[in-house]
Amino acid sequence: MNEEVQEYDYSDDDTLKKAIELIKKRRTEEEVREKFNLSDDDMELIDFVNNEF
């Protein structure tokens, strides 16, 4: 089987933790995205974490 492997571009753990905390403190996703220069993959991961945990 030749399945394609998808690669993701994530920021480091500390940056993601800080971004998640700011969103929990009512900052908008756009503000946090711009502050930390987050990728689309980062934002999808943050959305998942905030919705699942």
Side-chain angles (χ1 to χ4, degrees):
M1 290 183 141
N2 281 337
E3 293 184 29
E4 289 186 40
V5 176
Q6 186 171 357
E7 293 187 28
Y8 297 96
D9 180 31
Y10 295 118
S11 297
D12 63 273
D13 290 347
D14 288 334
T15 300
L16 291 171
K17 287 176 187 177
K18 290 175 186 174
I20 290 167
E21 287 303 314
L22 284 179
I23 290 173
K24 286 181 180 179
K25 292 180 180 177
R26 304 278 185 199
R27 294 285 177 98
T28 67
E29 288 186 1
E30 267 314 303
E31 289 175 321
V32 173
R33 183 180 194 136
E34 289 177 16
K35 178 179 177 95
F36 294 106
N37 194 29
L38 300 174
S39 68
D40 288 340
D41 292 334
D42 289 331
M43 296 307 294
E44 287 180 25
L45 178 60
I46 289 169
D47 284 341
F48 174 78
V49 169
N50 283 336
N51 291 326
E52 296 297 321
F53 298 103

